[in-house]
Amino acid sequence: KVQERIKTFGGVKRNVNSITTAGGNPLPMPTDDDTANEATVTAENTTPASGADVVLGQVQLGAYEYTASGTGGNALAVPLALIQDSAIDFEAYLAKRLGTRIGRKQARDAVTGTGTGQPQGLLQGLTGRELIAGTGVAYADLVNLVTSIDEAYWEGAKLYMNRASFGALAQIEDGASQLIFKNGSMIGPSGEPVPALWIGGMLIPVVLDSTFDDITLTNGADNIWGAFGNLIEGYIWRDVKAIEVLVNPFTSANKRQIEYSAWARADGRQTIAAAYGTIAGFTT
């Protein structure tokens, strides 16, 4: 067994609306914001005085190529003798390692991608809600954050941030001098307890993602360090088939080497802006 150093990544990407398609053709996804329209009261035998057509928008998903390779962009050249002599399944280990590299990059793009030449990240183009006034975040600030999102999106809503930021929030007390951090009250996908914060009478799960910046406690810093909301409604990620590991036994055959590289195609886009909000340090 290879003793591997591990590091968690991809909290956001595991909690968004994810689809897998057989091809990478441009894929328009319809959106609808009809929240400003409502019916009218109409007198009998008269034509309604007003109304509104249904207008659909769309976001278009593409398929950016991700590659995991060796130094200089070349395929990883592995001696055939190593594969034959290794006590572990070295080819399986290598495929896992290359796939993890792709997953790590995609997880980062799902949060901070620019949308140009790469997916549009969760935070791209957004301004964060400033929570910090003075030297830290108060309980009332978190209540205001939760209530800034329409209650239609409270079901399924989660808090997203990195480990350092969660450590700062977990020490906050509510109005009854009780820590808002509750562990073991929420059950994750594999049955494990997940961290949660008790805010405004709701137990809100916390998803850790190392891509986020650390919580900001200094005046003048407006970096976004977190998000809150329902990302199933607010963000979509598209994978084209699965990650492919390409094995080339020919190019370096005269050196008795086999070449390996991994490839994947994917894209991500924001969908419903009202479904989530972002959190930033204060600027005044």
Side-chain angles (χ1 to χ4, degrees), residues 27-58:
L27 179 64
M29 300 293 296
T31 61
D32 173 29
D33 184 357
D34 199 52
T35 56
N37 300 316
E38 58 185 35
T40 60
V41 176
T42 305
E44 187 176 351
N45 295 324
T46 62
T47 301
S50 64
D53 293 332
V54 173
V55 179
L56 297 179
Q58 74 171 27

Side-chain angles (χ1 to χ4, degrees), residues 50-99:
S50 64
D53 293 332
V54 173
V55 179
L56 297 179
Q58 74 171 27
V59 295
Q60 183 159 285
L61 293 165
Y64 296 103
E65 290 200 1
Y66 288 82
T67 311
S69 56
T71 302
N74 298 312
L76 287 172
V78 181
L80 181 59
L82 173 60
I83 296 174
Q84 292 174 339
D85 297 347
S86 177
I88 64 169
D89 185 342
F90 196 79
E91 289 183 300
Y93 163 78
L94 199 59
K96 176 185 175 183
R97 182 58 54 240
L98 293 175

Side-chain angles (χ1 to χ4, degrees), residues 14-226:
R14 292 195 297 269
N15 285 272
V16 302
N17 182 12
S18 297
I19 62 173
T20 301
T21 59
N25 303 54
L27 179 64
M29 300 293 296
T31 61
D32 173 29
D33 184 357
D34 199 52
T35 56
N37 300 316
E38 58 185 35
T40 60
V41 176
T42 305
E44 187 176 351
N45 295 324
T46 62
T47 301
S50 64
D53 293 332
V54 173
V55 179
L56 297 179
Q58 74 171 27
V59 295
Q60 183 159 285
L61 293 165
Y64 296 103
E65 290 200 1
Y66 288 82
T67 311
S69 56
T71 302
N74 298 312
L76 287 172
V78 181
L80 181 59
L82 173 60
I83 296 174
Q84 292 174 339
D85 297 347
S86 177
I88 64 169
D89 185 342
F90 196 79
E91 289 183 300
Y93 163 78
L94 199 59
K96 176 185 175 183
R97 182 58 54 240
L98 293 175
T100 299
R101 290 182 180 184
I102 288 178
R104 187 177 290 118
K105 172 58 175 169
Q106 289 182 347
R108 182 175 300 279
D109 285 349
V111 179
T112 61
T114 64
T116 302
Q118 59 185 262
Q120 178 192 37
L122 183 77
L123 309 182
Q124 196 274 329
L126 301 183
T127 300
R129 178 183 178 87
E130 298 176 7
L131 292 189
I132 301 173
T135 58
V137 180
Y139 178 68
D141 295 325
L142 297 177
V143 174
N144 290 336
L145 169 68
V146 171
T147 55
S148 69
I149 302 300
D150 193 281
E151 59 269 27
Y153 296 108
W154 285 359
E155 183 177 354
K158 299 177 182 180
L159 277 162
Y160 299 86
M161 64 194 69
N162 71 15
R163 179 163 38 94
S165 300
F166 172 68
L169 298 191
Q171 301 177 55
I172 295 175
E173 296 181 350
D174 61 14
S177 299
Q178 299 292 317
L179 286 176
I180 65 172
F181 170 51
K182 309 294 180 184
N183 193 28
S185 302
M186 309 291 294
I187 301 300
S190 301
E192 75 281 6
V194 300
L197 299 180
W198 189 264
I199 303 173
M202 293 186 291
L203 193 61
I204 301 176
V206 176
V207 176
L208 301 182
D209 193 310
S210 59
T211 304
F212 285 99
D213 289 338
D214 289 349
I215 188 171
T216 302
L217 298 175
T218 56
N219 190 7
D222 59 352
N223 63 302
I224 296 176
W225 54 267

